[in-house]
């Protein structure tokens, strides 16, 4: 089955720790995206990558980092510099504008 | 900049009655517009898309939307609501760069028996 996988579904971390969220796709899409979702806020773009070894900041990139070493993978690291990291994180991939989303990872930092 | 405004944060309808979820857009060029649906604690699913072809767009599960340039609107409709339609709905506009998307804040649809 083609699709996007995100793991884990739930993630708990202590404040001050970095944490990496996984995103893998087997749709052969060039572009991949990370969004953050908070209640009542819709989705906000963190980072995106149009091609391997290249990525661009979105609207709320501060406190996050990414890498794109393989076409299939686009991991997101939430660093200790992110002031309010508790949120639902969604990864997507696309060809043109039609984006396909993974099931999401809910991160809780205490 | 491209943006969308969803005019209602919550909409409640009875099962079997029509659904109307309202969205206005702002764009400096001919936009690509989408509606996505999200069921609780799940990822997003594309309902329909407008990319400058027919102004009336049909999507999955009986939903449709009409692009009205004069009103800068892209409202989502369905003739008859089902209980399974209860979810969060997002109106979305495509950005110029990287095929990224700008999301509205969402409309929560409640369907009552």
């Amino acid at each position: 089955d083609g699709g996007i996988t995100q793991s884990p579904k739930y993630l708990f971390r202590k404040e001050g720790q970095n944490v990496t969220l996984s995103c893998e796709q087997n749709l052969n899409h060039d572009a991949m995206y990370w969004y953050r979702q908070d209640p009542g806020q819709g989705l906000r773009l963190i980072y995106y990558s149009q091609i391997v070894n290249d990525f661009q900041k979105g609207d709320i990139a501060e406190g996050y980092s990414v890498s794109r070493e393989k076409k299939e993978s686009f991991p997101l690291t939430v660093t200790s510099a992110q002031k309010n990291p508790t949120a639902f994180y969604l990864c997507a991939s696309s060809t043109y504008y039609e984006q396909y989303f993974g099931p999401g990872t809910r991160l809780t930092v205490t | 900049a491209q943006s969308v405004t969803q005019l209602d944060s919550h909409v409640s309808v009875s099962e079997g009655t029509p659904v109307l979820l309202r969205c206005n857009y702002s764009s400096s060029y001919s936009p690509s517009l989408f509606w996505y649906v999200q069921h609780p604690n799940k990822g997003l699913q594309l309902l329909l898309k407008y990319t400058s072809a027919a102004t009336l767009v049909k999507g999955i599960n009986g939903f449709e939307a009409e692009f009205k340039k004069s009103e800068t609107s892209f409202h989502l409709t369905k003739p008859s609501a089902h209980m399974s339609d209860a979810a969060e709905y997002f109106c979305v506009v495509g950005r110029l760069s990287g095929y990224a998307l700008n999301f509205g804040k969402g409309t929560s649809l409640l369907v009552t028996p």
Side-chain angles (χ1 to χ4, degrees):
Chain A
D1 280 337
I4 300 177
T5 56
Q6 292 185 244
S7 60
K9 187 172 182 179
Y10 298 95
L11 192 53
F12 298 89
R13 281 293 183 270
K14 296 288 188 185
E15 199 172 308
Q17 294 179 335
N18 291 354
V19 58
T20 298
L21 281 59
S22 167
C23 177
E24 303 278 333
Q25 56 103 354
N26 61 4
L27 300 169
N28 200 34
H29 289 163
D30 286 319
M32 296 187 74
Y33 310 81
W34 274 105
Y35 295 90
R36 170 184 171 134
Q37 185 176 21
D38 298 283
Q41 293 293 318
L43 276 69
R44 293 181 288 169
L45 182 66
I46 304 173
Y47 268 98
Y48 64 99
S49 167
Q50 294 177 265
I51 198 167
V52 173
N53 292 323
D54 188 44
F55 47 83
Q56 286 76 40
K57 293 182 179 179
D59 301 321
I60 55 166
E62 185 176 350
Y64 299 97
S65 66
V66 293
S67 63
R68 187 86 187 278
E69 296 176 2
K70 298 187 301 182
K71 187 175 184 177
E72 301 79 17
S73 178
F74 191 41
L76 173 74
T77 296
V78 185
T79 75
S80 56
Q82 167 51 233
K83 295 189 190 321
N84 188 17
T86 294
F88 189 49
Y89 291 87
L90 287 156
C91 177
S93 70
S94 79
T95 175
Y96 194 51
Y97 277 120
E98 187 169 336
Q99 292 191 10
Y100 295 82
F101 284 82
T105 292
R106 187 166 297 279
L107 173 65
T108 302
V109 177
T110 58
Chain B
Q2 297 73 246
S3 66
V4 290
T5 302
Q6 293 184 243
L7 301 174
D8 306 290
S9 58
H10 295 86
V11 169
S12 181
V13 300
S14 299
E15 190 176 20
T17 64
V19 175
L20 170 63
L21 305 183
R22 300 182 296 162
C23 174
N24 288 347
Y25 71 89
S26 173
S27 179
S28 55
Y29 60 97
S30 182
S32 293
L33 292 162
F34 309 83
W35 277 97
Y36 279 85
V37 61
Q38 184 181 34
H39 288 92
N41 295 310
K42 296 287 178 65
L44 277 74
Q45 181 183 22
L46 179 66
L47 275 179
L48 50 82
K49 61 183 177 183
Y50 166 77
T51 53
S52 74
T55 56
L56 182 62
V57 181
K58 293 189 184 299
I60 62 172
N61 300 334
F63 284 95
E64 62 181 39
E66 186 171 8
F67 174 74
K68 291 188 176 181
K69 186 175 181 179
S70 60
E71 298 176 10
T72 62
S73 69
F74 190 58
H75 302 334
L76 182 70
T77 60
K78 183 174 180 177
S80 176
H82 295 160
M83 296 297 292
S84 60
D85 293 329
E88 189 86 12
Y89 291 80
F90 294 97
C91 182
V92 181
V93 64
R95 302 185 183 202
L96 274 176
S97 63
Y99 301 125
L101 302 175
N102 280 347
F103 282 76
K105 294 191 175 183
T107 298
S108 179
L109 177 64
L110 175 67
V111 182
T112 58

